[in-house]
Amino acid sequence: MAKRFAITIARTLGSDGGEIARRVAQQLNIRFIDKELLSIASSESGISEALFNVMDEKLNRRIFRQSTAAYRGEVYTPGHEDFLSNKNLFEYQSKVLRDIYNQGEPFIVVGRAGSFILDEFPNVVKVNVVASEQYCVENIMDRNCISESEAKKLIAKTNKYRYDFFKYFTGKEWGNPLNYDLCLNSSTLGIENCVQLIVESVKAKGLL
């Protein structure tokens, strides 16, 4: 019987972390989770998926200047004054991800603070994918059909948001290598080598 395990992928914008995760999922024949998590959380909570998307992509940065509110593992139910709060939306996402792990099906998750949410579980390989500025800028220019200056602004804005989001909801530093088992530079290693290194890390932990 296949072992229960999960792989979490944190990534800077333009580093191809999402593509690497998809290829790992295909090679290992495991479930790939990205924005699907928001849909599941919406279904379980009864809260509009649009609200989860707003929190995921457009949360007002002013809240990040407030005190850090780390994940507690509890959710508020309908009727509670904080049921629709950003904190509770994050808690629901976290609960869904932990429930998926407990169901026993191996999976890989992109973003969603997965490295923090699943940190206490065994059999989790936590990966951070980064790349050089030039590599990321060229990727985003091609992907979004925008200028170099626009790509640089988008990358800086998105990475800052991810850093602040992670810090606010977890109390930890998003880019700290100590939060991960494996840190990869896709601009020097290439996508396929990154895929193979992740697969080998899963094997090294005795999970395959």
Side-chain angles (χ1 to χ4, degrees):
M1 181 178 179
K3 287 188 177 181
R4 172 186 312 185
F5 70 88
I7 305 168
T8 70
I9 303 288
R11 77 284 183 228
T12 54
L13 185 66
S15 65
D16 282 322
E19 177 61 22
I20 290 167
R22 288 185 185 89
R23 295 193 189 188
V24 171
Q26 291 172 355
Q27 183 163 328
L28 297 181
N29 192 28
I30 61 176
R31 184 176 180 181
F32 174 86
I33 299 174
D34 189 0
K35 285 187 176 294
E36 172 194 5
L37 189 65
L38 306 182
S39 177
I40 298 172
S42 172
S43 177
E44 289 199 6
S45 66
I47 299 172
S48 167
E49 186 174 347
L51 289 179
F52 282 99
N53 277 301
V54 167
M55 185 197 72
D56 185 56
E57 299 175 352
K58 302 176 182 177
L59 200 60
N60 191 324
R61 281 186 175 81
R62 285 180 295 181
I63 75 161
F64 295 143
R65 295 196 289 269
Q66 301 171 8
S67 60
T68 299
Y71 170 70
R72 295 167 302 129
E74 302 174 358
V75 295
Y76 296 125
T77 54
H80 192 283
E81 62 180 356
D82 290 325
F83 178 61
L84 295 179
S85 68
N86 290 313
K87 184 64 166 56
N88 201 41
L89 296 178
F90 179 77
E91 298 280 0
Y92 262 108
Q93 281 190 201
S94 303
K95 177 183 179 299
V96 168
L97 195 58
R98 292 161 66 91
D99 287 346
I100 292 173
Y101 180 92
N102 284 324
Q103 289 166 9
E105 178 188 2
F107 66 91
I108 186 167
V109 59
V110 178
R112 320 299 159 198
S115 62
F116 175 83
I117 294 167
L118 299 177
D119 187 50
E120 68 183 64
F121 290 104
N123 302 346
V124 177
V125 177
K126 295 168 287 184
V127 181
N128 187 28
V129 180
V130 300
S132 68
E133 180 183 37
Q134 181 180 358
Y135 183 95
C136 293
V137 168
E138 290 177 357
N139 262 350
I140 296 304
M141 287 175 63
D142 290 341
R143 191 181 306 167
N144 294 11
C145 297
I146 57 179
S147 68
E148 180 178 353
S149 61
E150 290 173 322
K152 286 182 177 180
K153 288 179 182 178
L154 178 59
I155 289 169
K157 179 180 178 181
T158 302
N159 288 341
K160 179 64 164 57
Y161 181 86
R162 289 175 180 175
Y163 176 92
D164 290 343
F165 181 98
F166 194 87
K167 179 70 172 179
Y168 178 79
F169 285 112
T170 74
K172 293 183 178 291
E173 304 292 329
W174 179 54
N176 186 344
L178 294 178
N179 293 330
Y180 307 97
D181 301 305
L182 189 64
C183 296
L184 302 172
N185 184 337
S186 58
S187 57
T188 57
L189 291 168
I191 291 176
E192 194 53 39
N193 282 330
C194 288
V195 170
Q196 295 311 315
L197 285 167
I198 294 171
V199 171
E200 289 303 316
S201 294
V202 176
K203 291 179 179 178
K205 281 199 168 188
L207 304 178
L208 291 175

